[in-house]
Amino acid sequence: MKDQVIRILSELRPEFDFTEDVDFIEAGMLDSFDLVSLVDTIEQELGVAISGMDIVPENFNSVDAIISTIERNRK
């Protein structure tokens, strides 16, 4: 799943290296519009419905945080 998440992030913002160990939000790699697009793409491609309560920056600030959010929202 890690490779899928990195691919989705790279397609969303190809100018950044999402394999880096940085806070994507704090580093300016993702903004609020990107989060909406990211959630939509994850839901469509991975068949996961992300709860509105989970759409907060700290759940999308790293690949590991995104994977945890996806796993938490699987039915």
Side-chain angles (χ1 to χ4, degrees), residues 1 54 59 62-73:
M1 179 181 303
D54 278 335
N59 288 339
S62 71
V63 171
D64 289 338
I66 294 168
I67 291 170
S68 293
T69 301
I70 292 167
E71 290 174 349
R72 188 171 47 255
N73 284 274

Side-chain angles (χ1 to χ4, degrees), residues 2-50:
K2 184 174 186 171
D3 290 338
Q4 288 177 300
V5 170
I6 291 171
R7 179 189 53 77
I8 291 168
L9 288 165
S10 296
E11 288 174 0
L12 181 65
R13 297 294 300 265
E15 66 272 25
F16 296 116
D17 179 3
F18 288 99
T19 61
E20 292 181 28
D21 189 25
V22 298
D23 182 318
F24 300 153
I25 308 297
E26 191 174 295
M29 297 166 74
L30 296 175
D31 60 25
S32 59
F33 180 76
D34 294 326
L35 290 185
V36 172
S37 298
L38 178 59
V39 168
D40 183 56
T41 302
I42 287 171
E43 289 182 336
Q44 289 181 27
E45 290 193 21
L46 302 180
V48 177
I50 306 289

